C-alpha cells in the first residue's frame, strides 16, 4: 500500500473508497436475498392454491361418481333415518288397524246383543198381550155361561098358519142378544175382581140348582175390611208403602195366600206395573187397586 500511495491523504481516500464499495456490495446482497424470498413465497402460495384446487376437483369428481367418503357417510345416516321412519309408520299402521278391528268387534257384539234383547222383549210383550186377550175372552165366555146369555139364535115357537099367496115371507125374530153392560164391566174390573165375582156367581148358581130349601142358601161372602196401602205412579216410578220403586228393581211379591215370589219390575205404566218372575221369566200385571187393597204386597230385596 505504501508503494501504491505515496502520501497519507491518498491512503485515507483509498481506504474510504474500499469501505464504501464493501457496503454497497452488502446492500446489494441483502436486496437480492429479499427479492428471492418474496419470489419463493409467491411460488409456494401458488403451489398451495393449485393443490387445493386439484383436491376440490378430485372431490367433485368423486361426488359425481358417488365414491366420496363424506358423501357415503351422510347417505348411510340418511338411509338409517329413512328405514327407521318406515318402521315406525308400519308399527303405527298395525296399531291403528288392531284398534279399529277391536272397536268393530265391540260394536258388532253390542249391536247383536241389543238386537237379541229387543227381540226377546218384543216376544215377551206380544205373548203378554195375547195372554191378556185370551184371558179376557175366557172371562167373557164364562160370564155368558153363568148368566145364561148366549149368542145363538133360538127359534120362537109359534103357530104356523097357512100363508096367503100375497103375504110376505116371515122373518125370524132374534130375541137373544149379548148383554152389553156385562161385557163392558169386564173391561172395567181387574182380573182378581172378575174371578172373585165368578166364584160368587158359581156358588149362587149351585145353590139355586140344588133342591135344598131357601133358608139353607147362604148369603154371599162379605169381604173383611183389610189394610189400605198408599200406592201411586209418578214420572215412571211407583210409590208404595212410603217407598219408591223403579224399573228393573228386584222385589218380593206376596199374595193373600202368603205366597212369596221373587220378581223384577219390567215396566211401570200409568195405572199398573208389570213384573217378571225370576224363576220362569213369566210376566204378571199388578194394578194400583190391588196394591191399595192389599191383594198383593211388595217388599224390597237385594239385587244379588
Amino acid at each position: 500500500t505504501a508503494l501504491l500511495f505515496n502520501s497519507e491523504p491518498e491512503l485515507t481516500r483509498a481506504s474510504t473508497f474500499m469501505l464504501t464499495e464493501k457496503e454497497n456490495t452488502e446492500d446489494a446482497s441483502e436486496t437480492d436475498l429479499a427479492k428471492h424470498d418474496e419470489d419463493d413465497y409467491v411460488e409456494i402460495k401458488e403451489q398451495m392454491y393449485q393443490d387445493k384446487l386439484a383436491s376440490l376437483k378430485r372431490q367433485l369428481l368423486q361426488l359425481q361418481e358417488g365414491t366420496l367418503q363424506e358423501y357415503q357417510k351422510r347417505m348411510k345416516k340418511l338411509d338409517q333415518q329413512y328405514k327407521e321412519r318406515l318402521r315406525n309408520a308400519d308399527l303405527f299402521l298395525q296399531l291403528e288397524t288392531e284398534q279399529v278391528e277391536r272397536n268393530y268387534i265391540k260394536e258388532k257384539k253390542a249391536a247383536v246383543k241389543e238386537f237379541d234383547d229387543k227381540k226377546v222383549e218384543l216376544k215377551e210383550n206380544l205373548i203378554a198381550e195375547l195372554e191378556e186377550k185370551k184371558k179376557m175372552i175366557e172371562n167373557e165366555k164364562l160370564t155368558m155361561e153363568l148368566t145364561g146369555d148366549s149368542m145363538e139364535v133360538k127359534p120362537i115357537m109359534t103357530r104356523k098358519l097357512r100363508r096367503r099367496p100375497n103375504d110376505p115371507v116371515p122373518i125370524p125374530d132374534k130375541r137373544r142378544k149379548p148383554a152389553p153392560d156385562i161385557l163392558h164391566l169386564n173391561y172395567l174390573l181387574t182380573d182378581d175382581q172378575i174371578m172373585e165375582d165368578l166364584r160368587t156367581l158359581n156358588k149362587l148358581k149351585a145353590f139355586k140348582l140344588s133342591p135344598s130349601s131357601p133358608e139353607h142358601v147362604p148369603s154371599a161372602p162379605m169381604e173383611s175390611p183389610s189394610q189400605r196401602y198408599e200406592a201411586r205412579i209418578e214420572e215412571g216410578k211407583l210409590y208404595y208403602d212410603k217407598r219408591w220403586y223403579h224399573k228393573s228393581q228386584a222385589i218380593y211379591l206376596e199374595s193373600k195366600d202368603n205366597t212369596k215370589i221373587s220378581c223384577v219390575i219390567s215396566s211401570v205404566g200409568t195405572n199398573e206395573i208389570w213384573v217378571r218372575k225370576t224363576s220362569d221369566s213369566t210376566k204378571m200385571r199388578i194394578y194400583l187397586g190391588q196394591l191399595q187393597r192389599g191383594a198383593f204386597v211388595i217388599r224390597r230385596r237385594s239385587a244379588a
Side-chain angles (χ1 to χ4, degrees), residues 4-96:
L4 293 174
F5 302 98
N6 295 324
S7 62
E8 185 176 356
E10 291 180 357
L11 181 60
T12 302
R13 285 195 301 270
S15 298
T16 302
F17 176 77
M18 292 176 65
L19 291 173
T20 301
E21 288 293 333
K22 185 178 180 180
E23 290 176 358
N24 292 335
T25 302
E26 291 177 358
D27 293 338
S29 299
E30 291 177 358
T31 302
D32 295 338
L33 182 60
K35 185 176 181 181
H36 184 268
D37 292 340
E38 185 177 355
D39 294 339
D40 292 342
Y41 173 75
V42 173
E43 185 179 355
I44 292 173
K45 190 173 181 181
E46 181 68 20
Q47 185 65 34
M48 291 175 61
Y49 168 75
Q50 293 296 332
D51 293 342
K52 286 184 178 181
L53 182 60
S55 177
L56 290 175
K57 289 181 179 180
R58 185 172 59 257
Q59 291 179 6
L60 179 60
L61 181 61
Q62 292 178 354
L63 179 61
Q64 292 175 352
E65 294 176 354
T67 58
L68 185 63
Q69 184 177 2
E70 184 68 19
Y71 170 76
Q72 292 179 350
K73 182 178 180 181
R74 294 188 180 184
M75 282 298 299
K76 184 177 181 180
K77 184 176 181 181
L78 288 176
D79 186 64
Q80 291 178 353
Q81 294 177 356
Y82 168 72
K83 292 181 180 179
E84 184 68 20
R85 289 189 62 180
L86 285 181
R87 189 176 67 86
N88 293 336
D90 291 339
L91 292 176
F92 181 75
L93 176 61
Q94 183 179 359
L95 180 63
E96 289 293 328

Side-chain angles (χ1 to χ4, degrees), residues 1-236:
T1 305
L3 292 175
L4 293 174
F5 302 98
N6 295 324
S7 62
E8 185 176 356
E10 291 180 357
L11 181 60
T12 302
R13 285 195 301 270
S15 298
T16 302
F17 176 77
M18 292 176 65
L19 291 173
T20 301
E21 288 293 333
K22 185 178 180 180
E23 290 176 358
N24 292 335
T25 302
E26 291 177 358
D27 293 338
S29 299
E30 291 177 358
T31 302
D32 295 338
L33 182 60
K35 185 176 181 181
H36 184 268
D37 292 340
E38 185 177 355
D39 294 339
D40 292 342
Y41 173 75
V42 173
E43 185 179 355
I44 292 173
K45 190 173 181 181
E46 181 68 20
Q47 185 65 34
M48 291 175 61
Y49 168 75
Q50 293 296 332
D51 293 342
K52 286 184 178 181
L53 182 60
S55 177
L56 290 175
K57 289 181 179 180
R58 185 172 59 257
Q59 291 179 6
L60 179 60
L61 181 61
Q62 292 178 354
L63 179 61
Q64 292 175 352
E65 294 176 354
T67 58
L68 185 63
Q69 184 177 2
E70 184 68 19
Y71 170 76
Q72 292 179 350
K73 182 178 180 181
R74 294 188 180 184
M75 282 298 299
K76 184 177 181 180
K77 184 176 181 181
L78 288 176
D79 186 64
Q80 291 178 353
Q81 294 177 356
Y82 168 72
K83 292 181 180 179
E84 184 68 20
R85 289 189 62 180
L86 285 181
R87 189 176 67 86
N88 293 336
D90 291 339
L91 292 176
F92 181 75
L93 176 61
Q94 183 179 359
L95 180 63
E96 289 293 328
T97 304
E98 293 177 356
Q99 182 68 25
V100 170
E101 290 179 354
R102 286 195 297 267
N103 292 336
Y104 166 73
I105 295 174
K106 184 178 179 182
E107 291 293 334
K108 184 178 180 180
K109 289 182 179 179
V112 172
K113 185 178 183 301
E114 183 179 0
F115 172 74
D116 293 338
D117 294 341
K118 292 291 184 181
K119 184 170 63 175
V120 172
E121 183 179 0
L122 178 61
K123 184 177 180 180
E124 291 178 353
N125 291 336
L126 291 176
I127 290 175
E129 291 178 2
L130 293 176
E131 290 291 339
E132 183 180 358
K133 291 180 180 179
K134 179 182 177 182
K135 189 179 295 183
M136 291 175 59
I137 293 174
E138 291 176 352
N139 291 336
E140 291 176 3
K141 181 180 178 182
L142 184 59
T143 302
M144 288 189 295
E145 290 177 355
L146 293 175
T147 55
D149 293 333
S150 176
M151 297 295 294
E152 299 177 357
V153 179
K154 298 181 179 180
I156 302 173
M157 302 300 296
T158 57
R159 292 180 61 189
K160 293 184 179 180
L161 301 177
R162 287 183 298 175
R163 186 171 58 86
R164 295 178 181 180
N166 295 328
D167 291 341
V169 179
I171 301 175
D173 186 14
K174 300 179 181 179
R175 296 187 178 183
R176 290 291 182 178
K177 296 182 179 180
D181 296 336
I182 297 177
L183 296 179
H184 182 64
L185 288 176
N186 287 338
Y187 291 96
L188 298 179
L189 298 177
T190 62
D191 296 341
D192 291 341
Q193 290 174 344
I194 292 173
M195 296 304 298
E196 187 173 356
D197 292 342
L198 291 177
R199 285 194 294 268
T200 304
L201 290 174
N202 286 329
K203 291 180 181 179
L204 292 176
K205 185 176 180 181
F207 280 114
K208 286 181 181 179
L209 296 177
S210 63
S212 60
S213 59
E215 59 267 17
H216 294 289
V217 177
S219 60
M222 301 296 292
E223 292 185 2
S224 59
S226 58
Q227 181 181 359
R228 301 288 295 183
Y229 294 89
E230 182 180 3
R232 64 179 186 272
I233 294 176
E234 294 181 2
E235 299 179 356

